[in-house]
Amino acid sequence: MIPTPYLLFLGDAPDQLATKVAQGIKDWRPDHAIGQLRLPTCKADLGLTDMTLAEAKAAGAKTLVIGVANRGGVISPAWKEILIAAIEAGFDIASGLHNLLRHEADLVACSMAHGTSLHDVRVPGIDYPIANGVKRTGKRVLAVGTDCSVGKMYTGLAIDAEMQKRGMKSTFRATGQTGILITGQGIPLDAVIADFMAGAVEYVSPDNDPDHWDVIEGQGSLFHASYSGVTMALIHGGQPDAIILAHEPTRKHMRGLPSYTLPTLEALRDMCLPIAQVVNPACKIVGISVNTASMSEDEARAYLSELEARMGMPAVDPFRDNAERLVDALEAL
Amino acid sequence: MIPTPYLLFLGDAPDQLATKVAQGIKDWRPDHAIGQLRLPTCKADLGLTDMTLAEAKAAGAKTLVIGVANRGGVISPAWKEILIAAIEAGFDIASGLHNLLRHEADLVACSMAHGTSLHDVRVPGIDYPIANGVKRTGKRVLAVGTDCSVGKMYTGLAIDAEMQKRGMKSTFRATGQTGILITGQGIPLDAVIADFMAGAVEYVSPDNDPDHWDVIEGQGSLFHASYSGVTMALIHGGQPDAIILAHEPTRKHMRGLPSYTLPTLEALRDMCLPIAQVVNPACKIVGISVNTASMSEDEARAYLSELEARMGMPAVDPFRDNAERLVDALEAL
């Protein structure tokens, strides 16, 4: 668990896109985002108050989050001075970079000397159990995609936000690096050892109140040759009561696999449901979340309404609109 | 790759069953099994020539394989003296135990001093790539089970042996610890990091001659809540042209999951084929391998013949009989 609130470190970000992680934290957990810290060459701006380490400390920030990705995912020498100063000021550091904080000897020595923690969210912090498949109490919803990066995390965060707004009991369960940084906890599922994947998902979504929803962050795709095993473990460890299909209709081929076209939503539905029913016979597919960012407003509306008629369930873009109709469908379960 | 042939170390095995790994090597790669080395308290006997380290060395043995599992999978102090002496005599050591050779400081120091290698087949020796899903040349067959431990490795080894007997080009591709020790190479799939599982399977089964068969060792089950992700990665990384369904008909529940009954072979067929066809649209299910060890001869014959009629494909027990009819079906593809 990463102590909150955060000071978001934007470093020397060359553009706004490089600060996607920080943006996600600001969008979805604004209470976690006390301020931003930028180097003089930084080209990004989240619109948060610019703070020095001392100002952020005084405002209650507990962790400096590296909210910027640079080429190669490495820890830039330009950042080191700030990171060291942050540790000396008593901050934890959290990072989702490939280059681990714990492999930087100077950061490790400094954090040990000051009794602070380095949170590398890219690697598992604990040994997860082997899944036992025992039915857990509480309700669970999972987004399952036709492809990777079609908006599954966004869909989950939007559903959780809508549930919170309605006063429902819900928790977003992060299963990837960005999700972990946004919420402060979770499992880096793609970095877990094969035998323990489903167990990690059981771990992150334990027994809960009967009327509580775990909104489990989706990963990969059953149709993605590289990552389908991760998706499988997520479904079998997650025991979802409800599945949201997630899709990006303009994509030409599976992400990173030029020789693979995307499956239809019907094919995904037909493969996905029997798999989910292995661990939860009552599981239902209740809606479709479509990322229509590459479509005009008119195209998007026409596509969603055609899809809804074809599939017989709500089809929405939670970014263009909101997740109200998906949550309606979940409440109706 | 583990240098062969082997001297099989049976240690202080309390019974024959404890030497299952050594037995597998002797059964399936008799040319690899030059002799056995037993401590005075050993209760097992593979029927191989008992050899001292010096005798095995003179006979050409290159690696001492720990062919015995003791309680907890640890490296017994009683074995240390022999292991050290073996390294000093120039042997590599190979082990599938949970307790890794590389974590024993005295073994590491000794092997470094003598320029020999320690092979821990339980952990990956290299960094596998992320799967690219590109169609590879050559043919591939994979056993997919209704449950774990229903005879998938045995089925694969029997198919490979039958193909060799017929002069066909084939290679058994080990994906588990025992398979790796038997054949001297392979991937410990259940110990690979999630993102690289399918890539590891692609790595272990590369392009080959168009008439060459890779017989890929199956793992887990699509219906096993703990390990289904591993099976999924095996299918998508393996790109099988042919699938053999594997089953144990007397089992009361899924292995280790008392609340889960086994799926029917029909359910397995229906889930398995669309998954395989994501990466290989031409994939076919060509036969069924049944472990009838818990049935009488009459029961087994009746069961196999009923199953064959019901499923419309050869149903055989390769242990009770042989893999001839499975290989007939593969040749007919």
Side-chain angles (χ1 to χ4, degrees), chain B residues 191-217:
Chain B
V192 172
I193 286 173
D195 256 0
F196 304 96
M197 294 185 298
V201 183
E202 291 186 349
Y203 170 89
V204 85
S205 175
D207 279 324
N208 217 315
D209 297 342
D211 59 343
H212 176 279
W213 280 96
D214 264 350
V215 185
I216 302 174
E217 181 188 355

PDB file of all heavy atoms in Angstrom, chain B residues 191-217:
ATOM      1  N   ALA B 191       6.794 -21.543 -13.926  1.00  0.00           N
ATOM      2  CA  ALA B 191       7.644 -20.618 -13.180  1.00  0.00           C
ATOM      3  C   ALA B 191       7.995 -19.374 -13.988  1.00  0.00           C
ATOM      4  O   ALA B 191       8.758 -18.528 -13.541  1.00  0.00           O
ATOM      5  CB  ALA B 191       8.928 -21.334 -12.754  1.00  0.00           C
ATOM      6  N   VAL B 192       7.418 -19.272 -15.191  1.00  0.00           N
ATOM      7  CA  VAL B 192       7.706 -18.122 -16.050  1.00  0.00           C
ATOM      8  C   VAL B 192       6.807 -16.951 -15.644  1.00  0.00           C
ATOM      9  O   VAL B 192       5.667 -17.148 -15.214  1.00  0.00           O
ATOM     10  CB  VAL B 192       7.473 -18.500 -17.528  1.00  0.00           C
ATOM     11  CG1 VAL B 192       7.570 -17.283 -18.440  1.00  0.00           C
ATOM     12  CG2 VAL B 192       8.473 -19.574 -17.959  1.00  0.00           C
ATOM     13  N   ILE B 193       7.308 -15.731 -15.794  1.00  0.00           N
ATOM     14  CA  ILE B 193       6.516 -14.542 -15.477  1.00  0.00           C
ATOM     15  C   ILE B 193       5.388 -14.378 -16.500  1.00  0.00           C
ATOM     16  O   ILE B 193       5.586 -14.601 -17.703  1.00  0.00           O
ATOM     17  CB  ILE B 193       7.429 -13.304 -15.430  1.00  0.00           C
ATOM     18  CG1 ILE B 193       8.256 -13.370 -14.136  1.00  0.00           C
ATOM     19  CG2 ILE B 193       6.637 -12.006 -15.491  1.00  0.00           C
ATOM     20  CD1 ILE B 193       9.302 -12.309 -14.028  1.00  0.00           C
ATOM     21  N   ALA B 194       4.208 -14.019 -15.997  1.00  0.00           N
ATOM     22  CA  ALA B 194       2.958 -14.006 -16.770  1.00  0.00           C
ATOM     23  C   ALA B 194       3.108 -13.468 -18.194  1.00  0.00           C
ATOM     24  O   ALA B 194       2.698 -14.128 -19.150  1.00  0.00           O
ATOM     25  CB  ALA B 194       1.897 -13.202 -16.007  1.00  0.00           C
ATOM     26  N   ASP B 195       3.686 -12.309 -18.352  1.00  0.00           N
ATOM     27  CA  ASP B 195       3.778 -11.675 -19.666  1.00  0.00           C
ATOM     28  C   ASP B 195       4.586 -12.492 -20.679  1.00  0.00           C
ATOM     29  O   ASP B 195       4.482 -12.229 -21.880  1.00  0.00           O
ATOM     30  CB  ASP B 195       4.465 -10.310 -19.521  1.00  0.00           C
ATOM     31  CG  ASP B 195       3.466  -9.171 -19.616  1.00  0.00           C
ATOM     32  OD1 ASP B 195       2.271  -9.445 -19.796  1.00  0.00           O
ATOM     33  OD2 ASP B 195       3.890  -8.015 -19.514  1.00  0.00           O
ATOM     34  N   PHE B 196       5.376 -13.432 -20.216  1.00  0.00           N
ATOM     35  CA  PHE B 196       6.298 -14.126 -21.108  1.00  0.00           C
ATOM     36  C   PHE B 196       5.950 -15.600 -21.313  1.00  0.00           C
ATOM     37  O   PHE B 196       6.701 -16.341 -21.952  1.00  0.00           O
ATOM     38  CB  PHE B 196       7.728 -13.985 -20.572  1.00  0.00           C
ATOM     39  CG  PHE B 196       8.133 -12.544 -20.373  1.00  0.00           C
ATOM     40  CD1 PHE B 196       8.032 -11.946 -19.132  1.00  0.00           C
ATOM     41  CD2 PHE B 196       8.555 -11.780 -21.448  1.00  0.00           C
ATOM     42  CE1 PHE B 196       8.362 -10.615 -18.949  1.00  0.00           C
ATOM     43  CE2 PHE B 196       8.893 -10.442 -21.280  1.00  0.00           C
ATOM     44  CZ  PHE B 196       8.799  -9.857 -20.021  1.00  0.00           C
ATOM     45  N   MET B 197       4.804 -16.025 -20.778  1.00  0.00           N
ATOM     46  CA  MET B 197       4.448 -17.450 -20.860  1.00  0.00           C
ATOM     47  C   MET B 197       4.325 -17.909 -22.309  1.00  0.00           C
ATOM     48  O   MET B 197       4.961 -18.888 -22.720  1.00  0.00           O
ATOM     49  CB  MET B 197       3.119 -17.711 -20.138  1.00  0.00           C
ATOM     50  CG  MET B 197       3.161 -17.500 -18.643  1.00  0.00           C
ATOM     51  SD  MET B 197       1.574 -17.974 -17.874  1.00  0.00           S
ATOM     52  CE  MET B 197       0.446 -16.820 -18.645  1.00  0.00           C
ATOM     53  N   ALA B 198       3.483 -17.248 -23.086  1.00  0.00           N
ATOM     54  CA  ALA B 198       3.276 -17.683 -24.467  1.00  0.00           C
ATOM     55  C   ALA B 198       4.575 -17.549 -25.262  1.00  0.00           C
ATOM     56  O   ALA B 198       4.872 -18.387 -26.124  1.00  0.00           O
ATOM     57  CB  ALA B 198       2.154 -16.866 -25.114  1.00  0.00           C
ATOM     58  N   GLY B 199       5.362 -16.534 -24.947  1.00  0.00           N
ATOM     59  CA  GLY B 199       6.647 -16.363 -25.618  1.00  0.00           C
ATOM     60  C   GLY B 199       7.602 -17.503 -25.314  1.00  0.00           C
ATOM     61  O   GLY B 199       8.381 -17.937 -26.172  1.00  0.00           O
ATOM     62  N   ALA B 200       7.553 -18.005 -24.092  1.00  0.00           N
ATOM     63  CA  ALA B 200       8.397 -19.149 -23.718  1.00  0.00           C
ATOM     64  C   ALA B 200       8.006 -20.376 -24.539  1.00  0.00           C
ATOM     65  O   ALA B 200       8.870 -21.152 -24.977  1.00  0.00           O
ATOM     66  CB  ALA B 200       8.260 -19.439 -22.221  1.00  0.00           C
ATOM     67  N   VAL B 201       6.709 -20.548 -24.781  1.00  0.00           N
ATOM     68  CA  VAL B 201       6.250 -21.698 -25.563  1.00  0.00           C
ATOM     69  C   VAL B 201       6.676 -21.544 -27.027  1.00  0.00           C
ATOM     70  O   VAL B 201       7.103 -22.506 -27.665  1.00  0.00           O
ATOM     71  CB  VAL B 201       4.721 -21.885 -25.435  1.00  0.00           C
ATOM     72  CG1 VAL B 201       4.271 -23.125 -26.190  1.00  0.00           C
ATOM     73  CG2 VAL B 201       4.316 -21.993 -23.971  1.00  0.00           C
ATOM     74  N   GLU B 202       6.588 -20.329 -27.542  1.00  0.00           N
ATOM     75  CA  GLU B 202       7.095 -20.099 -28.906  1.00  0.00           C
ATOM     76  C   GLU B 202       8.588 -20.416 -28.969  1.00  0.00           C
ATOM     77  O   GLU B 202       9.071 -21.033 -29.925  1.00  0.00           O
ATOM     78  CB  GLU B 202       6.846 -18.643 -29.329  1.00  0.00           C
ATOM     79  CG  GLU B 202       5.370 -18.310 -29.540  1.00  0.00           C
ATOM     80  CD  GLU B 202       5.155 -16.906 -30.109  1.00  0.00           C
ATOM     81  OE1 GLU B 202       6.124 -16.109 -30.148  1.00  0.00           O
ATOM     82  OE2 GLU B 202       4.016 -16.609 -30.513  1.00  0.00           O
ATOM     83  N   TYR B 203       9.302 -20.027 -27.931  1.00  0.00           N
ATOM     84  CA  TYR B 203      10.756 -20.239 -27.882  1.00  0.00           C
ATOM     85  C   TYR B 203      11.104 -21.726 -27.891  1.00  0.00           C
ATOM     86  O   TYR B 203      12.041 -22.153 -28.560  1.00  0.00           O
ATOM     87  CB  TYR B 203      11.293 -19.565 -26.615  1.00  0.00           C
ATOM     88  CG  TYR B 203      12.729 -19.888 -26.288  1.00  0.00           C
ATOM     89  CD1 TYR B 203      13.771 -19.117 -26.802  1.00  0.00           C
ATOM     90  CD2 TYR B 203      13.055 -20.961 -25.443  1.00  0.00           C
ATOM     91  CE1 TYR B 203      15.091 -19.418 -26.496  1.00  0.00           C
ATOM     92  CE2 TYR B 203      14.369 -21.259 -25.134  1.00  0.00           C
ATOM     93  CZ  TYR B 203      15.381 -20.486 -25.670  1.00  0.00           C
ATOM     94  OH  TYR B 203      16.686 -20.787 -25.367  1.00  0.00           O
ATOM     95  N   VAL B 204      10.328 -22.520 -27.165  1.00  0.00           N
ATOM     96  CA  VAL B 204      10.667 -23.945 -27.022  1.00  0.00           C
ATOM     97  C   VAL B 204      10.236 -24.757 -28.247  1.00  0.00           C
ATOM     98  O   VAL B 204      10.632 -25.911 -28.396  1.00  0.00           O
ATOM     99  CB  VAL B 204      10.055 -24.538 -25.729  1.00  0.00           C
ATOM    100  CG1 VAL B 204       8.621 -24.999 -25.923  1.00  0.00           C
ATOM    101  CG2 VAL B 204      10.902 -25.711 -25.215  1.00  0.00           C
ATOM    102  N   SER B 205       9.443 -24.150 -29.123  1.00  0.00           N
ATOM    103  CA  SER B 205       8.938 -24.871 -30.285  1.00  0.00           C
ATOM    104  C   SER B 205       9.101 -24.020 -31.541  1.00  0.00           C
ATOM    105  O   SER B 205       8.130 -23.541 -32.122  1.00  0.00           O
ATOM    106  CB  SER B 205       7.461 -25.221 -30.043  1.00  0.00           C
ATOM    107  OG  SER B 205       6.896 -25.807 -31.185  1.00  0.00           O
ATOM    108  N   PRO B 206      10.335 -23.810 -31.981  1.00  0.00           N
ATOM    109  CA  PRO B 206      10.605 -22.879 -33.085  1.00  0.00           C
ATOM    110  C   PRO B 206      10.254 -23.477 -34.442  1.00  0.00           C
ATOM    111  O   PRO B 206       9.862 -24.643 -34.539  1.00  0.00           O
ATOM    112  CB  PRO B 206      12.111 -22.635 -32.966  1.00  0.00           C
ATOM    113  CG  PRO B 206      12.649 -23.884 -32.342  1.00  0.00           C
ATOM    114  CD  PRO B 206      11.565 -24.406 -31.440  1.00  0.00           C
ATOM    115  N   ASP B 207      10.411 -22.668 -35.478  1.00  0.00           N
ATOM    116  CA  ASP B 207      10.244 -23.138 -36.863  1.00  0.00           C
ATOM    117  C   ASP B 207      10.959 -24.468 -37.056  1.00  0.00           C
ATOM    118  O   ASP B 207      12.040 -24.696 -36.510  1.00  0.00           O
ATOM    119  CB  ASP B 207      10.882 -22.122 -37.836  1.00  0.00           C
ATOM    120  CG  ASP B 207       9.973 -20.931 -38.116  1.00  0.00           C
ATOM    121  OD1 ASP B 207       8.747 -21.114 -38.194  1.00  0.00           O
ATOM    122  OD2 ASP B 207      10.509 -19.819 -38.249  1.00  0.00           O
ATOM    123  N   ASN B 208      10.361 -25.317 -37.879  1.00  0.00           N
ATOM    124  CA  ASN B 208      10.980 -26.612 -38.126  1.00  0.00           C
ATOM    125  C   ASN B 208      10.598 -27.088 -39.530  1.00  0.00           C
ATOM    126  O   ASN B 208       9.845 -26.418 -40.241  1.00  0.00           O
ATOM    127  CB  ASN B 208      10.526 -27.621 -37.058  1.00  0.00           C
ATOM    128  CG  ASN B 208      11.643 -28.576 -36.669  1.00  0.00           C
ATOM    129  OD1 ASN B 208      12.347 -29.106 -37.531  1.00  0.00           O
ATOM    130  ND2 ASN B 208      11.824 -28.784 -35.374  1.00  0.00           N
ATOM    131  N   ASP B 209      11.110 -28.263 -39.923  1.00  0.00           N
ATOM    132  CA  ASP B 209      10.757 -28.824 -41.236  1.00  0.00           C
ATOM    133  C   ASP B 209       9.242 -28.989 -41.328  1.00  0.00           C
ATOM    134  O   ASP B 209       8.589 -29.322 -40.335  1.00  0.00           O
ATOM    135  CB  ASP B 209      11.404 -30.201 -41.421  1.00  0.00           C
ATOM    136  CG  ASP B 209      12.917 -30.119 -41.414  1.00  0.00           C
ATOM    137  OD1 ASP B 209      13.455 -29.008 -41.610  1.00  0.00           O
ATOM    138  OD2 ASP B 209      13.566 -31.160 -41.189  1.00  0.00           O
ATOM    139  N   PRO B 210       8.699 -28.824 -42.529  1.00  0.00           N
ATOM    140  CA  PRO B 210       7.237 -28.917 -42.683  1.00  0.00           C
ATOM    141  C   PRO B 210       6.675 -30.265 -42.225  1.00  0.00           C
ATOM    142  O   PRO B 210       5.533 -30.339 -41.764  1.00  0.00           O
ATOM    143  CB  PRO B 210       7.027 -28.734 -44.191  1.00  0.00           C
ATOM    144  CG  PRO B 210       8.245 -28.010 -44.670  1.00  0.00           C
ATOM    145  CD  PRO B 210       9.367 -28.438 -43.787  1.00  0.00           C
ATOM    146  N   ASP B 211       7.459 -31.333 -42.314  1.00  0.00           N
ATOM    147  CA  ASP B 211       6.954 -32.648 -41.907  1.00  0.00           C
ATOM    148  C   ASP B 211       7.451 -33.050 -40.511  1.00  0.00           C
ATOM    149  O   ASP B 211       7.382 -34.217 -40.132  1.00  0.00           O
ATOM    150  CB  ASP B 211       7.358 -33.715 -42.933  1.00  0.00           C
ATOM    151  CG  ASP B 211       8.876 -33.802 -43.097  1.00  0.00           C
ATOM    152  OD1 ASP B 211       9.580 -32.844 -42.674  1.00  0.00           O
ATOM    153  OD2 ASP B 211       9.362 -34.815 -43.635  1.00  0.00           O
ATOM    154  N   HIS B 212       7.946 -32.077 -39.741  1.00  0.00           N
ATOM    155  CA  HIS B 212       8.408 -32.366 -38.376  1.00  0.00           C
ATOM    156  C   HIS B 212       7.301 -32.071 -37.370  1.00  0.00           C
ATOM    157  O   HIS B 212       6.611 -31.059 -37.468  1.00  0.00           O
ATOM    158  CB  HIS B 212       9.637 -31.515 -38.053  1.00  0.00           C
ATOM    159  CG  HIS B 212      10.124 -31.681 -36.634  1.00  0.00           C
ATOM    160  ND1 HIS B 212       9.545 -31.011 -35.574  1.00  0.00           N
ATOM    161  CD2 HIS B 212      11.110 -32.462 -36.101  1.00  0.00           C
ATOM    162  CE1 HIS B 212      10.158 -31.360 -34.450  1.00  0.00           C
ATOM    163  NE2 HIS B 212      11.110 -32.236 -34.745  1.00  0.00           N
ATOM    164  N   TRP B 213       7.135 -32.972 -36.416  1.00  0.00           N
ATOM    165  CA  TRP B 213       6.147 -32.773 -35.346  1.00  0.00           C
ATOM    166  C   TRP B 213       6.834 -32.366 -34.050  1.00  0.00           C
ATOM    167  O   TRP B 213       7.716 -33.072 -33.564  1.00  0.00           O
ATOM    168  CB  TRP B 213       5.375 -34.075 -35.077  1.00  0.00           C
ATOM    169  CG  TRP B 213       4.284 -34.343 -36.056  1.00  0.00           C
ATOM    170  CD1 TRP B 213       4.357 -35.132 -37.165  1.00  0.00           C
ATOM    171  CD2 TRP B 213       2.937 -33.850 -35.995  1.00  0.00           C
ATOM    172  NE1 TRP B 213       3.147 -35.161 -37.822  1.00  0.00           N
ATOM    173  CE2 TRP B 213       2.251 -34.378 -37.124  1.00  0.00           C
ATOM    174  CE3 TRP B 213       2.240 -33.003 -35.118  1.00  0.00           C
ATOM    175  CZ2 TRP B 213       0.909 -34.089 -37.382  1.00  0.00           C
ATOM    176  CZ3 TRP B 213       0.910 -32.719 -35.371  1.00  0.00           C
ATOM    177  CH2 TRP B 213       0.255 -33.258 -36.495  1.00  0.00           C
ATOM    178  N   ASP B 214       6.411 -31.239 -33.483  1.00  0.00           N
ATOM    179  CA  ASP B 214       6.736 -30.942 -32.095  1.00  0.00           C
ATOM    180  C   ASP B 214       5.608 -31.505 -31.248  1.00  0.00           C
ATOM    181  O   ASP B 214       4.436 -31.155 -31.458  1.00  0.00           O
ATOM    182  CB  ASP B 214       6.822 -29.427 -31.864  1.00  0.00           C
ATOM    183  CG  ASP B 214       8.248 -28.908 -31.959  1.00  0.00           C
ATOM    184  OD1 ASP B 214       9.187 -29.734 -32.011  1.00  0.00           O
ATOM    185  OD2 ASP B 214       8.420 -27.680 -31.977  1.00  0.00           O
ATOM    186  N   VAL B 215       5.962 -32.382 -30.321  1.00  0.00           N
ATOM    187  CA  VAL B 215       4.972 -32.907 -29.375  1.00  0.00           C
ATOM    188  C   VAL B 215       5.144 -32.094 -28.104  1.00  0.00           C
ATOM    189  O   VAL B 215       6.084 -32.323 -27.331  1.00  0.00           O
ATOM    190  CB  VAL B 215       5.185 -34.407 -29.125  1.00  0.00           C
ATOM    191  CG1 VAL B 215       4.074 -34.944 -28.234  1.00  0.00           C
ATOM    192  CG2 VAL B 215       5.256 -35.167 -30.446  1.00  0.00           C
ATOM    193  N   ILE B 216       4.272 -31.100 -27.926  1.00  0.00           N
ATOM    194  CA  ILE B 216       4.436 -30.159 -26.812  1.00  0.00           C
ATOM    195  C   ILE B 216       3.766 -30.717 -25.557  1.00  0.00           C
ATOM    196  O   ILE B 216       2.602 -31.115 -25.593  1.00  0.00           O
ATOM    197  CB  ILE B 216       3.837 -28.783 -27.172  1.00  0.00           C
ATOM    198  CG1 ILE B 216       4.519 -28.234 -28.444  1.00  0.00           C
ATOM    199  CG2 ILE B 216       3.986 -27.806 -26.016  1.00  0.00           C
ATOM    200  CD1 ILE B 216       3.893 -26.949 -28.969  1.00  0.00           C
ATOM    201  N   GLU B 217       4.512 -30.737 -24.473  1.00  0.00           N
ATOM    202  CA  GLU B 217       3.972 -31.256 -23.208  1.00  0.00           C
ATOM    203  C   GLU B 217       2.868 -30.341 -22.671  1.00  0.00           C
ATOM    204  O   GLU B 217       3.066 -29.138 -22.536  1.00  0.00           O
ATOM    205  CB  GLU B 217       5.114 -31.349 -22.178  1.00  0.00           C
ATOM    206  CG  GLU B 217       4.666 -31.899 -20.832  1.00  0.00           C
ATOM    207  CD  GLU B 217       5.755 -31.802 -19.762  1.00  0.00           C
ATOM    208  OE1 GLU B 217       6.892 -31.395 -20.084  1.00  0.00           O
ATOM    209  OE2 GLU B 217       5.444 -32.104 -18.602  1.00  0.00           O
TER     210      GLU B 217
END
